[in-house]
Amino acid sequence: MTLFILENKPLSDVEKLAFSPSGQTLAAAHRRHGIFVWDLADRKSKPASTTVRAFGQFQFLEEKLLVWRDFQRFVLFDTRRGQVVRQSLRSVDLAYQFGAFVNPTVFICSLTKGYQHEQQTRSDHGVTQCRQRNPRGALDLLWEQNTGTLTSKCAFLLADGQTLLTIEGRSYPQQIFRYVWRRLLDGAELRHLETTILQPRELALCEPWLVSNCSRHLQIIDLNNFVAEPIILKNDSRREFTSCQVHPSGKFIAATNNDQTVKCW
């Protein structure tokens, strides 16, 4: 059931959504139109910036502080003042396929170190890295784990604050996704589960629910019961979902497409 709809005009299609840690603010990013924020108390939007462009990763580090990746650096943006406060937070030296902050200082990323060609089969040699933001703005390496032929697609810090959930996958020779529970301290694998579900466009987590954006619909998966049928949320139009996020309270999901609205279920 749709709880409420947020109008995001004049945006044609929001590409990224992010909730603040308190859940009081929802931010949306668009490459051409900039950044908009909603105060969920009155459900009114205002442009935080019409000139700043957000690419790639897009999330809140603190209540009023957004971060996103701009090629090989991170941009920190104050939504209260509507301006960039720092652009010197350096990214990792090597190009990476995925990266996200799991808390204000710890950054998890995946890298592909090389390729192995055997006839027509390609094998990715992936690693998962944990890096910590220091006062100088650099990301120091804490640990690195070899994932063999798998590279991480996303990572979440679970509610205990000590365990990472990484979703790792490969495309050759078969599309396989591997859900791995790792210890945050050193990256050691605690347990894993493999599945051949379709590759999602985006994932969001609010324990025990994992929300998978599969473009035309959202799948809600119970992490404690993977064999159960997922809950399906279908878009009531023929458009594709472009982004989805779970509210920090776990009470509703926000998703957007290119019909100039953000729907909350």
Side-chain angles (χ1 to χ4, degrees):
M1 180 180 69
T2 303
L3 296 179
F4 56 89
I5 297 175
L6 301 172
E7 297 289 336
N8 63 340
K9 298 176 181 179
L11 303 187
S12 58
D13 55 333
V14 169
E15 296 174 353
K16 295 287 183 179
L17 291 174
F19 280 108
S20 65
S22 70
Q24 297 177 357
T25 303
L26 177 64
H30 192 282
R31 293 194 181 191
R32 295 191 302 275
H33 300 291
I35 298 170
F36 280 66
V37 296
W38 285 270
D39 182 345
L40 294 183
D42 58 18
R43 300 178 187 176
K44 293 182 179 179
S45 68
K46 63 178 181 178
S49 173
T50 57
T51 58
V52 175
R53 305 290 182 257
F55 296 88
Q57 166 203 354
F58 182 74
Q59 62 184 118
F60 278 92
L61 278 187
E62 301 169 6
E63 185 59 30
K64 298 295 182 180
L65 192 64
L66 280 166
V67 62
W68 62 83
R69 185 180 66 160
D70 182 6
F71 299 103
Q72 287 299 302
R73 66 180 181 179
F74 291 104
V75 178
L76 299 181
F77 183 84
D78 189 329
T79 59
R80 184 186 293 107
R81 291 185 290 171
Q83 64 184 36
V84 172
V85 295
R86 187 173 184 181
Q87 297 191 59
S88 60
L89 180 61
R90 296 187 298 277
S91 178
V92 293
D93 295 331
L94 298 174
Y96 56 88
Q97 288 72 46
F98 161 79
F101 285 93
V102 295
N103 65 32
T105 60
V106 176
F107 181 77
I108 304 296
C109 64
S110 66
L111 303 146
T112 299
K113 287 199 166 181
Y115 298 95
Q116 177 182 349
H117 295 274
E118 294 180 0
Q119 296 177 352
Q120 295 182 349
T121 301
R122 188 186 74 175
S123 178
D124 297 280
H125 294 265
V127 297
T128 296
Q129 290 184 345
C130 177
R131 292 176 174 267
Q132 188 168 37
R133 181 162 62 107
N134 65 32
R136 300 186 307 276
L139 292 167
D140 299 328
L141 181 65
L142 297 182
W143 53 258
E144 177 180 288
Q145 289 286 346
N146 186 0
T147 56
T149 61
L150 302 167
T151 55
S152 293
K153 302 296 182 182
C154 54
F156 303 100
L157 184 63
L158 300 185
D160 62 7
Q162 304 296 321
T163 308
L164 285 171
L165 173 63
T166 62
I167 291 87
E168 304 165 355
R170 69 175 179 217
S171 300
Y172 301 92
Q174 184 183 8
Q175 187 74 56
I176 297 176
F177 288 90
R178 192 169 183 259
Y179 292 74
V180 184
W181 284 257
R182 296 185 181 277
R183 195 162 52 217
L184 179 62
L185 179 66
D186 55 10
E189 182 177 319
L190 302 176
R191 65 187 179 102
H192 73 269
L193 176 71
E194 291 190 352
T195 179
T196 56
I197 62 171
L198 295 175
Q199 180 175 359
R201 172 181 289 185
E202 184 181 23
L203 287 165
L205 174 71
C206 187
E207 294 180 69
W209 306 107
L210 182 70
V211 181
S212 173
N213 178 6
C214 300
S215 296
R216 291 300 179 92
H217 66 273
L218 303 180
Q219 284 187 341
I220 304 176
I221 303 166
D222 186 350
L223 288 176
N224 297 324
N225 188 7
F226 267 88
V227 297
E229 286 292 323
I231 301 170
I232 303 295
L233 285 180
K234 293 185 178 180
N235 199 353
D236 55 10
S237 68
R238 295 184 179 180
R239 303 177 188 274
E240 295 183 352
F241 289 109
T242 56
S243 184
C244 69
Q245 286 295 320
V246 181
H247 189 266
S249 69
K251 293 181 178 179
F252 63 88
I253 299 168
T256 184
N257 52 33
N258 53 359
D259 67 354
Q260 298 187 326
T261 64
V262 176
K263 293 183 176 67
C264 295
W265 285 271

